[in-house]
Amino acid sequence: PGARRLLPGQRAAAKKAQAKLRGAAMANLRVALLLLVGLSCVAGLLPGAAPARGAAAGQQRAGSVTMAGAAALAKKTTVLEGVKENMDGSALMFCVRSEGLRVNELNDLRMKLPEGVRLQCVKNTLVNIAAKDFEQFNAEGLDGLLHYSNYWFFATEAGMRDSIKVWKTFTEESGRKESGEIVGGIFDAQVLDGKGVEAVSKLPTKQELMGKTALLLKALPTKLARSLNEAGAVRIARGLEQARGQKMVRAVKAASEKLP
């Protein structure tokens, strides 16, 4: 009620006007969306935007590198402590080339090593660092052994001889007699070649020397008594001879005096 009624011609004109308004609104909306997309693309190319993203990426990469470096350092520290633990209490360390050695063979080899002997593949730099902390391995000329990739044997005094035997038996049975030759080693702060390592391994141990010394000391009183007895017998025999000789001299002298 009260509303003005439009004539049929007026209603058609009103509908056309509304359609035009809706079309204009949609066109304006599309233009606005295009402007927003364009501005976002331009913002990515502005001088102040790219460095911010680059800095964030750089910080992320730097953080990753730092974490990786810390993990590598921790791993090297752990390995170094293990090498020092093997050197501690060892009298001889010698190396062989690692080329061609398989994991299963090395596991079998470790099982055959004498008690107290350790086998480890160690980087040359870590061997050089660790050796400086042990008087028996801090040798001049150690750098001459630190080439290529090596497996190191850490042998106690009691296990030196048997560790060499185990390795030589392994090389003969596996067909590596030539390629498996001992490169060299360190004993008593002296750098040795392969032949020197074998020669040192044949030396008597302290226990063996102590045993021989004990036997000699035990046999010494008997030998001394025998020597004294023999010396006494010689002196007695010499005295008897002298006595017989003196009697003979006196007898001859007495007989000569009785002669006319």
Side-chain angles (χ1 to χ4, degrees):
R4 185 180 178 182
R5 294 184 179 181
L6 297 175
L7 298 174
Q10 292 176 338
R11 284 198 296 270
K15 288 181 179 180
K16 289 181 179 181
Q18 289 177 355
K20 288 181 179 181
L21 290 174
R22 284 197 297 268
M26 292 298 295
N28 292 334
L29 181 59
R30 284 195 294 269
V31 171
L33 290 174
L34 290 173
L35 287 173
L36 289 174
V37 172
L39 289 173
S40 62
C41 293
V42 172
L45 299 175
L46 291 176
R53 293 179 182 177
Q59 291 176 355
Q60 184 177 3
R61 287 194 298 270
S64 299
V65 171
T66 303
M67 292 178 62
L73 179 60
K75 184 177 180 180
K76 286 184 179 180
T77 302
T78 302
V79 174
L80 180 61
E81 292 302 321
V83 175
K84 289 183 178 182
E85 184 177 351
N86 289 335
M87 287 184 178
D88 189 22
S90 297
L92 170 69
M93 55 181 286
F94 62 93
C95 63
V96 297
R97 298 291 186 232
S98 63
E99 184 178 0
L101 296 176
R102 295 188 290 270
V103 176
N104 57 337
E105 292 177 330
L106 292 170
N107 291 335
D108 293 339
L109 179 63
R110 287 188 175 95
M111 296 294 293
K112 296 176 183 178
L113 290 174
E115 184 179 359
V117 178
R118 299 288 182 268
L119 173 64
Q120 185 179 9
C121 186
V122 189
K123 289 186 176 180
N124 295 324
T125 53
L126 295 182
V127 172
N128 193 27
I129 294 172
K132 297 183 185 301
D133 291 343
F134 297 89
E135 184 178 358
Q136 70 271 31
F137 298 133
N138 188 16
E140 293 184 5
L142 173 59
D143 294 342
L145 299 177
L146 303 180
H147 299 289
Y148 307 104
S149 178
N150 302 306
Y151 270 96
W152 286 87
F153 289 78
F154 302 91
T156 59
E157 184 180 9
M160 293 191 304
R161 191 177 308 159
D162 289 339
S163 63
I164 300 293
K165 289 181 180 178
V166 169
W167 173 250
K168 293 188 73 173
T169 301
F170 168 77
T171 56
E172 291 174 359
E173 293 178 350
S174 61
R176 294 186 176 90
K177 190 172 182 180
E178 294 184 2
S179 61
E181 291 184 353
I182 296 173
V183 177
I186 311 171
F187 177 79
D188 195 22
Q190 298 294 323
V191 175
L192 308 172
D193 58 10
K195 293 182 179 180
V197 171
E198 292 188 30
V200 165
S201 69
K202 297 176 183 178
L203 294 175
T205 64
K206 291 180 181 179
Q207 294 294 331
E208 292 172 343
L209 289 174
M210 290 175 63
K212 290 181 179 179
T213 303
L215 290 175
L216 290 174
L217 292 175
K218 185 176 181 180
L220 183 59
T222 303
K223 290 184 178 180
L224 181 60
R226 188 182 300 133
S227 299
L228 292 175
N229 290 335
E230 290 176 355
V234 170
R235 284 199 299 271
I236 291 172
R238 189 179 299 148
L240 290 175
E241 279 188 28
Q242 289 178 353
R244 290 195 194 99
Q246 289 175 358
K247 287 181 179 179
M248 182 64 69
V249 171
R250 285 197 296 267
V252 171
K253 185 178 180 180
S256 61
E257 291 176 352
K258 291 179 179 180
L259 290 173

